[in-house]
Amino acid sequence: MMTLRAALCATLLSVCATSAFAGNPNVGGAPMFENKNIIQNAVNSKDHTTLVAAVKAAGLVDTLQTPGPFTVLAPVNKAFTALPAGTVDNLLKPQNKATLVKVLTCHVIPAKALSSAIKKMVNDDGGVHVVETVGGCQLKLSLKGNKVRITDENGGVARVTIADVKQSNGVIHVIDKVLLPKS
């Protein structure tokens, strides 16, 4: 039988553990902690193993651990497998590092943009808000219903499937497509 002291300790531990990611959704089956940075959280998501491998291959781990702030549009593994056969393997080759860096940095906005701010910008701009990424890509943000959509420079459209995953150095929005720079 649990003592009152043990029950109180268990409750306090639960509250403390929960408060570290209160309001943050799980991503890829893992809790996302607001007090951890983008890399510390992303490595725990089983839905982002390809993205994490690509970030490591591109040498962007240290950058995404800095204070930022960053908004990362994080494609799930299925988004990478939807690319033409061999694309990911080709991008991960050392001789293609510059192209990989360009693709990945086109998923990073140099600001912390929660979905409420994005929706306001889209509405204030008459339905489409253009944003420049760290990689120099111009993305068009829009809404379909209440969901944020992102159109890349080639007309490819990704939708945010999990919004507002708060990080110590920004925010992650999980997306269902890989955004590609103008070819």
Side-chain angles (χ1 to χ4, degrees):
M1 188 155 129
M2 188 180 277
T3 66
L4 179 58
R5 181 170 186 239
L8 180 58
C9 287
T11 301
L12 284 174
L13 285 174
S14 175
V15 168
C16 289
T18 303
S19 68
F21 61 95
N24 253 359
N26 282 359
V27 175
M32 298 287 116
F33 298 93
E34 288 185 42
N35 63 344
K36 292 188 176 184
N37 67 47
I38 290 163
I39 296 298
Q40 291 170 324
N41 276 318
V43 297
N44 295 316
S45 169
K46 68 177 184 202
D47 291 341
H48 290 89
T49 56
T50 305
L51 178 61
V52 169
V55 167
K56 288 177 181 177
L60 294 173
V61 170
D62 289 342
T63 301
L64 291 174
Q65 292 187 107
T66 65
F70 303 109
T71 296
V72 174
L73 305 168
V76 293
N77 293 338
K78 286 183 181 180
F80 285 98
T81 59
L83 293 171
T87 300
V88 174
D89 290 336
N90 195 38
L91 282 171
L92 293 175
K93 291 179 181 175
Q95 64 267 30
N96 295 325
K97 183 176 178 179
T99 303
L100 178 62
V101 168
K102 177 74 172 177
V103 169
L104 294 175
T105 56
C106 283
H107 289 80
V108 182
I109 300 167
K112 181 178 180 180
L114 296 172
S115 62
S116 58
I118 292 170
K119 290 173 185 177
K120 182 177 180 345
M121 289 183 278
V122 167
N123 288 326
D124 288 351
D125 289 350
V128 176
H129 178 75
V130 178
V131 63
E132 188 163 331
T133 68
V134 171
C137 298
Q138 290 199 339
L139 303 176
K140 294 177 183 175
L141 308 176
S142 60
L143 300 174
K144 182 167 187 173
N146 201 28
K147 299 285 186 180
V148 175
R149 294 172 22 133
I150 304 110
T151 304
D152 68 19
E153 295 177 327
N154 298 300
V157 179
R159 62 185 181 91
V160 173
T161 58
I162 302 174
D164 299 334
V165 187
K166 297 173 187 157
Q167 314 291 298
S168 66
N169 61 343
V171 63
I172 291 173
H173 299 294
V174 177
I175 61 173
D176 64 352
K177 298 261 194 269
V178 176
L179 303 168
L180 297 172
K182 195 174 237 177
S183 27

